[in-house]
Amino acid sequence: MKTYIISRNINGNRWSTVVGRDKGEHRNEKEIKMWKKASEAFKDFSSLCAVNLAPRSSLRNPDIEAAVIKATSHNDSHIDYHSAQRIFAWIRISSHYVRPVMAAISTRMERTRSWTVALKGLMLLHGVLSCKVPAVQKIGRLPFDLSNYRDRNPNMRHHEAFIRAYYAFLNNKSLFLYSHSQERKDLERTRRGKYSNENKQKPKQSSMMQDLVWLENLQELLAILLKIKPQKEKMMNVLVLEAMDCLIIEIFDIYIRICNGIAGVLIRIYSAAKTEAERALTVLQKAAVLGEDLSRYVDFCKDFGVLKASECPKIVNIRQQDIRALEKVINSDSFQQKTESPKEEGKSKIFVKDNEEDDDDDESASTSDSESTTTDESEDFDEEQEKLNQDPDLASPVSASR
């Protein structure tokens, strides 16, 4: 019900102006919200009751299902961190818990048409995929599909787009982890001589090419991540901000791995074949574009109010003169004729600038259009790669584990 002020204009005609809403309408809105929260709480309670009556099996664990329901409740102003941590603890204790956890999450995601439950479920799944457990890498394609997610409320199209983009990233990350784990398995089998003679005779990708493929896959993941962003200020609430914090952490984890991987490739560029060097150039060019996109993304997150965005490290974009220098090296006669000896590889004039490099170094580095110099310590890089190999999450280049 609306309140009107009735008055007359100069000609004596009546006109009215809306000045506000009466207390009855405000009371009705509060009652609607209250009944909505009560209905959602009842749904969660009913799900918990059904779980307690369900039989236990290899794919169904009532305790896990109850924890998943609590972690993905309909309450859009509260996140149950305790239940989520219990689920992560189960996975770290034993790989046998991965299947019932994924089954419980899938059941919850397939049935819901609430953006709150869907987003909480994706955040929970993000945490599961981040658990450094080999069994998580065997999940592969996600057992549920939110690529066409629709909320029961037709006015939630921005939330729907956010959830679909988030799902697309998690599905691609799970596929990447599975593919990379299979490559590592094949490498171990080759070491132990378990392949037949026929398979041994098949040509295999070189060490450099494997690392480049790994970098390209990481760059694709980063590009998908940078597409996930809230489209409207009305989306600013506890859940969305928490999800954005998770995404910022993931973004810089991948970005740092890409930087380290490119540094490792450029150190070995003089021993690479022509096709490998050209592919490395493409990776470097793509990294330069992603660096600019990442800078804009972080600025957007800061304006939106994402806390982790203000804590992120400094982003140093790849300079165009570094890309041109690599192009000259690839096209040079000395590179094509392989005149450099392996000992001279470490003295290459093409390097990647560290994130911690001071801006003051740019003046001295730009004295030549085609040369930028830093210190090459291949032994330190090998030690860093060995540390990364111990991290199953997104792992490190397959060839580095040799």
Side-chain angles (χ1 to χ4, degrees):
M1 182 176 180
K2 297 179 180 180
T3 303
Y4 292 86
I5 291 180
I6 308 298
S7 60
R8 294 181 181 274
N9 59 14
I10 297 176
N11 298 325
N13 297 323
R14 295 180 63 189
W15 56 276
S16 59
T17 305
V18 180
V19 296
R21 297 181 178 181
D22 62 8
K23 295 181 179 180
E25 188 168 353
H26 283 293
R27 189 182 300 112
N28 290 337
E29 289 182 354
K30 290 182 179 179
E31 289 178 355
I32 292 174
K33 290 181 179 179
M34 182 184 67
W35 280 109
K36 182 181 178 181
K37 288 185 177 181
S39 174
E40 292 173 345
F42 180 74
K43 289 180 181 179
D44 294 333
F45 178 76
S46 300
S47 299
L48 289 172
C49 291
V51 163
N52 291 330
L53 298 175
R56 184 185 294 266
S57 66
S58 60
L59 289 178
R60 297 203 64 179
N61 185 316
D63 295 332
I64 290 178
E65 291 184 18
V68 169
I69 292 172
K70 292 177 181 178
T72 59
S73 67
H74 286 79
N75 189 345
D76 62 356
S77 61
H78 172 72
I79 301 176
D80 191 342
Y81 294 102
H82 176 71
S83 296
Q85 291 301 325
R86 287 186 64 198
I87 294 170
F88 303 151
W90 273 318
I91 292 177
R92 295 188 185 102
I93 289 172
S94 174
S95 60
H96 296 291
Y97 288 114
V98 173
R99 292 184 66 190
V101 165
M102 291 302 301
I105 295 176
S106 300
T107 301
R108 187 72 165 166
M109 294 295 97
E110 290 171 350
R111 294 177 178 177
T112 189
R113 291 190 63 195
S114 167
W115 74 268
T116 302
V117 176
L119 183 54
K120 285 185 175 182
L122 293 177
M123 291 167 60
L124 180 63
L125 178 60
H126 196 169
V128 170
L129 294 179
S130 298
C131 291
K132 296 176 175 59
V133 177
V136 172
Q137 298 183 353
K138 300 178 182 179
I139 295 174
R141 187 177 298 278
L142 297 181
F144 62 92
D145 187 7
L146 293 183
S147 58
N148 295 315
Y149 173 77
R150 290 290 185 272
D151 195 88
R152 67 167 61 93
N153 187 342
N155 296 324
M156 293 294 178
R157 62 182 183 276
H158 296 294
H159 293 76
E160 293 170 351
F162 186 84
I163 289 170
R164 290 194 292 266
Y166 199 172
Y167 167 79
F169 161 70
L170 293 177
N171 190 47
N172 278 276
K173 177 177 179 179
S174 184
L175 288 171
F176 172 79
L177 292 175
Y178 175 78
S179 175
H180 193 78
S181 66
Q182 293 300 114
E183 290 177 1
R184 295 175 72 94
K185 278 185 179 179
D186 293 343
L187 180 61
E188 289 297 325
R189 289 174 181 172
T190 303
R191 283 177 175 177
R192 297 172 184 175
K194 290 186 177 180
Y195 275 161
S196 63
N197 293 331
E198 180 181 354
N199 288 334
K200 284 183 179 180
Q201 294 173 358
K202 290 182 179 180
K204 295 184 178 295
Q205 287 183 323
S206 66
S207 170
M208 174 75 77
M209 191 59 71
Q210 286 177 336
D211 293 353
L212 291 171
V213 171
W214 176 80
L215 282 170
E216 290 171 347
N217 291 335
L218 282 184
Q219 288 179 332
E220 290 178 5
L221 280 179
L222 183 56
I224 295 173
L225 269 171
L226 297 180
K227 295 179 181 178
I228 309 174
K229 60 170 63 176
Q231 300 296 327
K232 210 171 185 180
E233 291 184 359
K234 291 183 179 179
M235 292 183 63
M236 186 183 296
N237 63 7
V238 175
L239 292 183
V240 175
L241 290 175
E242 180 68 19
M244 291 301 296
D245 278 339
C246 297
L247 293 172
I248 284 291
I249 294 173
E250 181 79 37
I251 283 171
F252 277 94
D253 178 67
I254 295 178
Y255 178 72
I256 291 172
R257 292 175 186 274
I258 291 175
C259 292
N260 291 337
I262 290 176
V265 167
L266 294 182
I267 287 174
R268 296 174 291 160
I269 198 67
Y270 277 92
S271 62
K274 178 78 171 180
T275 55
E276 295 171 341
E278 290 175 345
R279 197 159 181 174
L281 176 60
T282 303
V283 169
L284 192 63
Q285 292 170 337
K286 178 67 173 178
V289 175
L290 286 175
E292 295 175 357
D293 293 342
L294 179 56
S295 298
R296 289 191 291 268
Y297 187 87
V298 171
D299 292 338
F300 167 84
C301 291
K302 289 179 180 178
D303 294 338
F304 192 78
V306 181
L307 293 178
K308 293 295 182 182
S310 59
E311 302 174 4
C312 62
K314 182 180 178 181
I315 302 171
V316 180
N317 294 326
I318 297 175
R319 299 174 300 181
Q320 288 299 317
Q321 66 185 58
D322 294 334
I323 297 176
R324 290 194 298 268
L326 180 58
E327 290 177 342
K328 288 185 177 181
V329 169
I330 295 174
N331 296 326
S332 64
D333 295 337
S334 60
F335 181 84
Q336 295 179 8
Q337 296 174 3
K338 300 290 184 179
T339 56
E340 284 194 22
S341 62
K343 293 183 179 179
E344 293 175 343
E345 291 177 18
K347 299 179 181 179
S348 170
K349 296 178 181 179
I350 310 300
F351 296 93
V352 174
K353 202 168 61 169
D354 293 333
N355 288 349
E356 299 177 354
E357 183 180 357
D358 296 332
D359 294 336
D360 295 335
D361 296 338
D362 292 345
E363 295 181 1
S364 60
S366 61
T367 54
S368 174
D369 292 337
S370 62
E371 298 181 0
S372 58
T373 58
T374 57
T375 304
D376 170 30
E377 298 180 359
S378 57
E379 295 182 359
D380 291 345
F381 173 77
D382 292 338
E383 293 177 2
E384 183 66 22
Q385 288 295 95
E386 186 64 28
K387 292 178 182 178
L388 289 175
N389 291 340
Q390 300 172 3
D391 181 5
D393 181 26
L394 291 183
S396 52
V398 175
S399 63
S401 61
R402 293 180 177 176

